[in-house]
C-alpha cells in the first residue's frame, strides 16, 4: 500500500518587457510500511511537498535574471529507534515490538530563496542569493533509559528487557518527545571572471557567505508503562514540559572562497581555498518550563581549507585528473563549548583517468584520506550521550566505472546499454580508542580495527534493452559485510549495536512501454529474490532492508 505521486507544470511567457517563467510542483508519497507491528498498526509514512518557482528576465542592456522559490514539506512517519534482538530478527526480520506503537516523527519545513543573477560582460558574471529555512520536528520515541532513573534499560541482549518491549512483562520504558525548532538564513555572493594572461587561460571563481542558524530544543520525558498483558497493555504517563531537555544553540558564520582554473594547453590546474569563521553560543536551561539559565557558553572556531586539483587531456578521449584537498568537520556549538570537541580534519588525495568515446566510457580512480580527530557523533542512544574525538584513521581504495552500449556500437536499431561500477575500500583506525563516546559505534576500537559501516566492496552492474517504444533494465548490486562497532564483533556481546552487518546481493527489474509519445507505462520488481538482509544495528538493534516490492504506474507529459 505505497503510492508515489509527482506532478509539475511550468511555462515561459514572452512579453515586450522580458520573459516570465514559472514552475508549480507537488510531490506526495504515502506508505503503510513494510514492518509488522505487534498488535497491528502502521509503520510507514506520508509526505506532501508543494513547491513554486518563478523567474523574471527583463529586457535590459544588462543580462540579468531574478529567481524566487518557495517550498513546503509536511512529513508524518511512524518510525522508531528500536530494532530487534538477534533471535527475534532471525525469527521475523520485519517484526516491530508492541512498545514502539506510539513512536512517531512529525515534521514541517518552509524554505525559500531569492536570487539575482547577472552577466555585465562576456567575461564576468555573478549571483547573489538570500535564503531562509525553517524546520520544526517532534520525534516521539522510546529511548535508551537507565535503571538508575527508574526505567527498564533497553538491552536487546537481555531477554527480560525484550519481554517488556513486546508487552509480556511489566516494566516502565522512557519515552521522549524530541521537539526541536531549527532556523537558518543568510546571504551568499559568487562571481566568475574569465580572462587570459598571455597564452594562459583563467576562470577565477570567488564568493562570500554570511550565515546564521539556530536550534531550540524543548523536550519532554514521558513514562511508557507495560502492564505485561500484551500489545494493548501499554499506557503513557505524560511528564512535565521541558523535562527532557531545554537548551538553545546558535552559530553565525562568515566564509570566503577563491579558486582559479588555470589552463595551459592541455593542462588545467585548479588551486583554491576556503576560510570560515564561526561564532558559537549555547544556553542550557533548567529541565522544566522555566527560563532559568544553568549554563551559558560562547566561543568561536575557524578553519582554512586549501586544495588543488588538475586535469590533463592526453588526447580527445582520455583525461588524467587528481588533487589534494584539506577537509574539516566541526561538531555542534554545545559539543565544542561544553565538551571541548575539536574539529575533525582530513587530507584527501585522488588520482584517476577518464575515457569518453561514443558508446564506451570508463573511469579508474585511486583515493586516500588521512583523518585526525574523528568525531563520534551522538544521536541520543550511546552510553555517554555526547560527542567525542576518537582519534585517527586512514581510508583508501580504488573505484572503477564502465558503461557501454553494444546496440549503438554495432549499429543496431535498438540499444543494449550496460554498466559496471566497483569500489574497493580499506577503512581502518590507526590508533587505539580509550572511550568511544557518542553513539558507541567506535567502542572497543584499536589500531587496525575496521571502521563500522564502511564495506570493503560495493559493486553495481546492469544491462538493458531500449527499443523505440519499450525498454527493460536488469540491475544487480552487491555490498560486502561490515561491522556495527569498532571492536569488530561478529555477534552482539554486551549491547545490541555490536555484530556483523550482512552482505547484500540484490536484483531489480524495471520496464517501460510507450502507449503514445506522451503516455508511458512503467513497472518493475525490486529485490526480486526477496532477500532478508540485516542492514543496520543502530540506533537500537537489528533491522532489515525492504522485502520484495512490485510496482506499476504511468508517466504522462504534455
Amino acid at each position: 500500500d505505497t503510492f508515489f505521486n509527482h506532478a509539475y507544470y511550468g511555462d515561459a511567457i514572452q512579453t515586450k518587457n522580458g520573459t516570465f517563467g514559472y514552475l508549480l510542483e507537488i510531490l506526495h508519497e504515502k506508505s503503510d510500511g513494510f514492518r509488522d507491528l505487534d498488535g497491528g498498526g502502521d509503520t510507514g509514512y506520508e509526505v506532501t511537498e508543494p513547491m513554486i518557482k518563478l523567474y523574471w528576465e527583463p529586457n535590459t542592456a544588462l543580462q540579468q535574471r531574478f529567481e524566487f522559490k518557495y517550498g513546503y514539506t509536511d512529513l508524518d512517519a511512524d518510525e522508531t529507534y528500536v530494532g530487534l534482538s538477534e533471535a527475534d530478527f532471525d525469527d521475523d526480520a520485519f517484526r516491530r515490538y508492541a512498545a514502539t506503537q506510539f513512536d512517531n516523527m512529525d515534521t514541517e519545513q518552509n524554505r525559500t530563496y531569492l536570487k539575482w543573477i547577472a552577466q555585465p560582460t562576456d567575461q564576468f558574471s555573478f549571483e547573489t542569493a538570500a535564503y531562509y529555512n525553517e524546520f520544526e520536528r517532534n520525534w516521539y520515541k522510546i529511548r535508551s533509559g537507565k535503571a538508575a532513573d527508574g526505567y527498564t534499560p533497553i538491552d536487546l541482549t537481555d531477554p527480560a528487557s525484550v519481554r517488556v518491549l513486546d508487552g509480556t512483562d511489566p516494566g516502565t520504558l522512557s519515552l521522549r518527545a524530541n521537539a526541536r525548532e531549527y532556523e537558518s538564513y543568510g546571504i551568499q555572493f559568487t562571481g566568475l571572471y574569465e580572462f587570459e594572461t598571455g597564452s594562459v587561460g583563467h576562470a577565477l571563481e570567488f564568493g562570500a557567505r554570511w550565515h546564521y542558524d539556530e536550534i531550540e530544543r524543548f523536550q519532554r520525558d514521558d513514562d511508557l508503562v507495560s502492564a505485561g498483558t500484551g500489545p494493548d497493555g501499554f499506557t503513557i504517563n505524560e511528564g512535565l514540559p521541558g523535562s527532557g531537555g531545554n537548551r538553545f544553540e546558535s552559530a553565525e558564520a562568515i566564509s570566503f572562497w577563491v579558486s582559479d582554473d588555470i589552463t595551459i594547453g592541455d593542462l588545467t590546474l585548479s588551486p583554491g581555498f576556503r576560510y570560515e569563521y564561526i561564532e558559537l553560543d549555547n544556553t542550557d536551561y533548567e529541565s522544566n518550563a522555566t527560563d532559568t539559565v544553568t549554563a551559558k557558553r560562547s566561543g568561536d572556531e575557524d578553519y582554512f581549507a586549501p586544495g588543488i586539483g588538475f586535469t590533463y587531456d592526453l588526447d580527445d578521449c582520455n583525461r588524467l585528473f587528481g588533487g589534494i584537498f584539506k577537509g574539516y568537520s566541526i561538531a555542534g556549538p554545545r559539543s565544542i563549548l561544553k565538551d571541548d570537541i575539536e574539529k575533525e580534519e582530513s587530507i584527501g588525495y585522488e588520482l584517476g583517468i577518464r575515457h569518453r568515446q561514443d558508446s564506451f566510457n570508463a573511469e579508474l580512480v585511486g583515493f586516500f584520506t588521512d583523518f585526525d580527530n574523528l568525531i563520534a557523533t551522538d544521536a541520543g542512544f550511546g552510553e555517554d550521550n555526547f560527542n567525542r574525538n576518537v582519534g585517527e584513521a586512514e581510508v583508501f581504495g580504488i573505484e572503477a566505472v564502465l558503461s557501454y552500449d553494444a546496440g549503438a556500437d554495432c549499429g543496431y536499431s535498438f540499444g543494449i546499454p550496460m554498466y559496471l561500477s566497483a569500489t574497493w575500500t580499506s577503512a581502518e583506525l590507526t590508533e587505539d580508542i580509550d572511550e568511544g563516546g557518542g553513539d558507541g559505534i567506535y567502542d572497543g576500537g584499536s589500531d587496525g580495527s575496521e571502521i563500522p559501516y564502511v564495506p570493503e566492496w560495493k559493486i553495481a552492474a546492469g544491462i538493458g534493452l531500449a527499443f523505440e517504444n519499450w525498454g527493460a533494465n536488469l540491475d544487480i548490486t552487491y555490498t560486502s559485510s561490515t561491522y556495527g562497532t569498532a571492536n569488530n564483533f561478529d555477534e552482539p556481546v554486551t549491547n545490541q549495536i555490536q555484530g556483523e552487518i550482512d552482505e547484500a546481493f540484490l536484483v531489480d527489474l524495471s520496464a517501460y512501454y510507450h502507449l503514445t509519445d506522451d503516455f508511458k507505462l512503467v513497472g518493475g520488481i525490486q529485490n526480486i529474490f526477496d532477500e532478508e538482509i540485516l542492514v543496520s544495528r543502530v540506533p537500537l538493534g537489528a533491522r532489515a532492508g525492504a522485502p520484495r516490492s512490485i510496482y506499476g504506474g504511468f508517466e504522462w507529459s504534455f
Side-chain angles (χ1 to χ4, degrees):
D1 294 331
T2 299
F3 297 90
F4 299 92
N5 308 291
H6 183 204
Y8 56 92
Y9 182 80
D11 199 2
I13 303 169
Q14 303 288 339
T15 73
K16 64 179 182 179
N17 296 315
T19 303
F20 171 73
Y22 65 91
L23 175 67
L24 304 174
E25 182 181 41
I26 181 73
L27 173 75
H28 178 258
E29 300 179 10
K30 187 178 188 303
S31 175
D32 286 344
F34 59 83
R35 306 191 195 281
D36 300 316
L37 185 63
D38 292 349
D42 288 346
T43 62
Y45 68 94
E46 182 171 10
V47 60
T48 303
E49 282 195 346
M51 189 272 288
I52 181 171
K53 187 180 286 189
L54 309 171
Y55 80 81
W56 170 246
E57 293 180 348
N59 286 333
T60 58
L62 174 65
Q63 286 189 326
Q64 59 182 325
R65 173 187 178 110
F66 299 91
E67 188 175 298
F68 171 80
K69 172 185 174 180
Y70 171 75
Y72 172 80
T73 300
D74 181 77
L75 168 70
D76 187 276
D78 296 308
E79 189 52 270
T80 180
Y81 263 25
V82 181
L84 295 170
S85 70
E86 203 78 358
D88 288 333
F89 183 91
D90 291 340
D91 183 60
D92 181 359
F94 303 110
R95 178 187 175 190
R96 251 181 64 176
Y97 295 128
T100 68
Q101 61 188 283
F102 304 103
D103 289 9
N104 175 265
M105 168 69 92
D106 186 15
T107 79
E108 187 176 35
Q109 184 188 34
N110 294 278
R111 54 193 176 276
T112 186
Y113 69 69
L114 179 64
K115 291 182 180 179
W116 177 36
I117 305 165
Q119 186 172 355
T121 70
D122 292 340
Q123 291 78 36
F124 178 56
S125 61
F126 65 85
E127 176 183 302
T128 301
Y131 58 90
Y132 176 80
N133 295 281
E134 180 186 49
F135 180 70
E136 182 177 357
R137 63 96 151 168
N138 183 23
W139 195 343
Y140 192 60
K141 64 185 186 306
I142 293 175
R143 68 186 188 98
S144 183
K146 297 179 181 179
D149 299 329
Y151 296 114
T152 302
I154 296 180
D155 181 359
L156 300 183
T157 64
D158 179 9
S161 178
V162 175
R163 288 194 296 271
V164 176
L165 287 168
D166 64 23
T168 56
D169 272 7
T172 301
L173 298 165
S174 175
L175 273 174
R176 172 163 286 179
N178 278 92
R180 306 183 187 178
E181 296 181 8
Y182 302 79
E183 194 173 23
S184 64
Y185 48 86
I187 299 174
Q188 176 173 297
F189 173 86
T190 58
L192 175 63
Y193 180 53
E194 297 178 295
F195 62 98
E196 294 182 354
T197 54
S199 61
V200 179
H202 296 265
L204 183 67
E205 185 174 349
F206 51 92
R209 177 195 292 171
W210 172 81
H211 175 87
Y212 174 84
D213 61 50
E214 65 178 41
I215 170 177
E216 183 175 1
R217 64 174 72 192
F218 189 65
Q219 304 174 158
R220 188 188 72 241
D221 282 343
D222 298 344
D223 294 343
L224 179 62
V225 181
S226 169
T229 57
D232 296 327
F234 288 91
T235 57
I236 295 175
N237 295 330
E238 192 170 299
L240 296 174
S243 56
N246 185 358
R247 69 177 70 147
F248 176 84
E249 298 176 71
S250 68
E252 183 176 2
I254 298 176
S255 54
F256 307 92
W257 59 93
V258 177
S259 66
D260 188 10
D261 291 343
I262 305 169
T263 302
I264 309 169
D266 294 325
L267 174 67
T268 298
L269 295 173
S270 301
F273 73 88
R274 176 186 176 91
Y275 174 77
E276 186 157 9
Y277 173 77
I278 311 165
E279 292 186 348
L280 309 166
D281 286 287
N282 161 233
T283 304
D284 292 345
Y285 300 91
E286 289 278 6
S287 294
N288 52 40
T290 71
D291 56 359
T292 303
V293 175
T294 60
K296 193 171 182 63
R297 311 173 183 91
S298 62
D300 57 68
E301 278 276 7
D302 73 324
Y303 65 81
F304 177 76
I308 184 170
F310 81 92
T311 63
Y312 182 75
D313 294 333
L314 298 171
D315 50 43
D316 291 340
C317 301
N318 299 291
R319 170 179 291 182
L320 289 173
F321 63 92
I324 304 174
F325 304 95
K326 182 73 174 179
Y328 288 96
S329 179
I330 69 169
R334 191 170 188 266
S335 295
I336 294 172
L337 300 172
K338 179 178 181 292
D339 302 323
D340 297 322
I341 304 303
E342 298 180 32
K343 53 181 171 282
E344 182 176 296
E345 302 182 49
S346 65
I347 299 180
Y349 309 82
E350 69 172 2
L351 181 63
I353 185 170
R354 183 180 295 122
H355 174 84
R356 295 284 184 271
Q357 186 178 18
D358 299 329
S359 56
F360 178 72
N361 298 300
E363 188 171 304
L364 182 67
V365 188
F367 58 89
F368 174 80
T369 307
D370 188 6
F371 289 94
D372 288 322
N373 295 328
L374 273 178
I375 296 177
T377 58
D378 163 39
F381 49 81
E383 289 297 318
D384 293 328
N385 283 343
F386 57 83
N387 297 334
R388 282 189 187 275
N389 291 116
V390 293
E392 300 177 357
E394 291 182 354
V395 178
F396 59 89
I398 299 174
E399 182 173 65
V401 182
L402 302 172
S403 65
Y404 174 62
D405 191 330
D409 191 39
C410 297
Y412 299 155
S413 61
F414 58 92
I416 310 176
M418 57 188 74
Y419 70 90
L420 172 68
S421 70
T423 303
W424 173 81
T425 305
S426 172
E428 294 184 353
L429 300 173
T430 55
E431 67 175 339
D432 296 343
I433 294 176
D434 295 328
E435 295 179 278
D439 297 335
I441 66 170
Y442 287 107
D443 286 345
S446 59
D447 187 359
S449 293
E450 294 184 25
I451 297 177
Y453 293 96
V454 183
E456 183 179 14
W457 283 101
K458 295 184 72 174
I459 301 173
I463 187 170
L465 291 172
F467 289 87
E468 183 177 359
N469 291 323
W470 69 275
N473 294 283
L474 182 71
D475 296 282
I476 300 171
T477 59
Y478 171 78
T479 305
S480 62
S481 63
T482 181
Y483 294 105
T485 56
N487 50 28
N488 295 171
F489 291 155
D490 292 330
E491 302 286 340
V493 176
T494 60
N495 62 59
Q496 55 269 346
I497 69 172
Q498 297 170 347
E500 193 174 52
I501 310 301
D502 289 347
E503 65 177 1
F505 182 83
L506 298 175
V507 181
D508 301 330
L509 178 66
S510 61
Y512 65 89
Y513 181 78
H514 282 279
L515 289 176
T516 69
D517 290 340
D518 302 328
F519 195 88
K520 179 170 67 173
L521 297 176
V522 296
I525 307 174
Q526 296 176 331
N527 190 4
I528 288 178
F529 298 110
D530 200 21
E531 296 291 329
E532 294 184 2
I533 300 166
L534 193 159
V535 297
S536 179
R537 295 181 179 273
V538 294
L540 290 166
R543 59 187 69 211
R548 180 191 296 122
S549 304
I550 302 172
Y551 67 93
F554 67 87
E555 295 178 8
W556 181 33
S557 60
F558 55 90

